[in-house]
Amino acid sequence: MISLFPCLNDNYGFLLVEPDSGLCATIDTPDGAEIDKQLQKRGLTLTHILNTHHHFDHVGGNLFLKEKYGATIVGPKRDAARIPGIDIGLADGDILPFGAYDIQVMDTPGHTLGHCAYYVPDEASVFVGDTIFVMGCGRLFEGTPAQMFDSMAKLAALPKDTKIYCAHEYTLSNAAFAVTVEPDNQDLHRAISMAKTLRDKNQPTVPTTIGTELKTNPFMRAETAAILSNIRMDKDRF
Ligand code: ZN
Ligand code: FE
């Protein structure tokens, strides 16, 4: 079971519960007090913190929640030194046993050099941190465009109905850019009007799915002919 709630300005908090064991994880800790409140509201005891990367809006509540619940903190091994309270460093291909669930760890560098996505096949869901956003991708603070491209390709290979839980509500500003890159994409226009309807009602546009992003997200469509021609890269390829 997954629950989603807004945190800080435009972050999302996520709780993942494996019902048989009652294990409960927060994906990142944007706001320790808000996550604590959501746990209490649901009568849950936090057992795990799954960090995607070291930025403060993802690890800021680590120590508070670890202190309060004694939760185990896991995160990217490559950036272990930058993740407060980390107990277990993870890398690509690792499996994190979580009750009846086996969570698959994927390295998705680009936004930062150490960055993990957590794929939960039993929930048909992947938590991508700041790698993919709806109609966009994370800023390249530390990695190279090639690293981000590879990370997105890795995620794109998951089953199309996989839900993507990304960590920010950036959809409408991403949409404004996406239409400039692919103005004739009807799927994109449909997705934008759906997103506007949701945001008008103050509803989240997260989760999206791999299938939807493959049809609409310019960074997952970077090799389609229309985009290459619109950004004038159809002649001399990179
Ligand atoms: Zn970040
Ligand atoms: Fe972030």
Side-chain angles (χ1 to χ4, degrees):
M1 189 197 76
I2 294 169
S3 12
L4 166 156
F5 46 91
C7 276
L8 308 177
N9 274 339
D10 54 27
N11 281 75
Y12 285 119
F14 312 104
L15 297 175
L16 169 70
V17 174
E18 194 285 293
D20 293 345
S21 60
L23 292 181
C24 171
T26 178
I27 288 72
D28 288 329
T29 58
D31 181 339
E34 179 61 28
I35 293 165
D36 188 27
K37 200 175 101 188
Q38 297 285 338
L39 288 162
Q40 289 184 38
K41 198 168 101 182
R42 295 170 169 81
L44 294 169
T45 301
L46 189 71
T47 58
H48 291 76
I49 295 171
L50 275 48
N51 283 133
T52 60
H53 66 291
H54 73 87
H55 284 157
F56 189 73
D57 62 315
H58 298 259
V59 302
N62 272 21
L63 296 180
F64 167 74
L65 291 169
K66 183 174 185 171
E67 166 92 351
K68 173 147 190 191
Y69 290 96
T72 301
I73 302 183
V74 307
K77 190 187 276 172
R78 190 179 185 308
D79 270 343
R82 301 197 280 183
I83 296 186
I86 191 167
D87 297 296
I88 304 171
L90 299 170
D92 202 55
D94 283 349
I95 303 284
L96 179 69
F98 190 71
Y101 294 175
D102 280 336
I103 300 177
Q104 299 179 20
V105 179
M106 300 165 78
D107 275 334
T108 55
H111 177 69
T112 50
L113 288 175
H115 192 296
C116 286
Y118 296 96
Y119 175 44
V120 191
D122 294 278
E123 297 274 0
S125 295
V126 62
F127 297 94
V128 299
D130 288 356
T131 303
I132 296 180
F133 293 115
V134 183
M135 299 177 221
C137 75
R139 265 178 73 181
L140 301 179
F141 282 107
E142 298 172 10
T144 63
Q147 278 176 325
M148 183 56 110
F149 188 79
D150 289 348
S151 295
M152 296 193 83
K154 216 189 260 185
L155 291 164
L158 294 174
K160 287 197 172 57
D161 61 354
T162 307
K163 294 193 241 352
I164 303 175
Y165 286 90
C166 48
H168 291 270
E169 180 60 59
Y170 287 160
T171 304
L172 293 184
S173 50
N174 288 340
F177 172 75
V179 281
T180 67
V181 180
E182 210 180 8
D184 298 326
N185 181 341
Q186 295 313 313
D187 290 318
L188 177 60
H189 287 289
R190 267 193 294 275
I192 293 171
S193 67
M194 278 168 59
K196 281 186 175 149
T197 308
L198 285 169
R199 294 311 295 149
D200 283 346
K201 292 187 276 187
N202 212 20
Q203 298 287 312
T205 62
V206 177
T208 178
T209 64
I210 296 288
T212 300
E213 293 312 299
L214 284 171
K215 287 190 212 159
T216 54
N217 188 320
F219 298 94
M220 292 178 89
R221 300 171 55 73
E223 290 182 303
T224 59
I227 291 185
L228 289 172
S229 130
N230 284 334
I231 63 173
R232 304 213 163 81
M233 283 181 76
D234 46 343
K235 299 262 153 33
D236 31 23
R237 295 288 311 279
F238 47 94

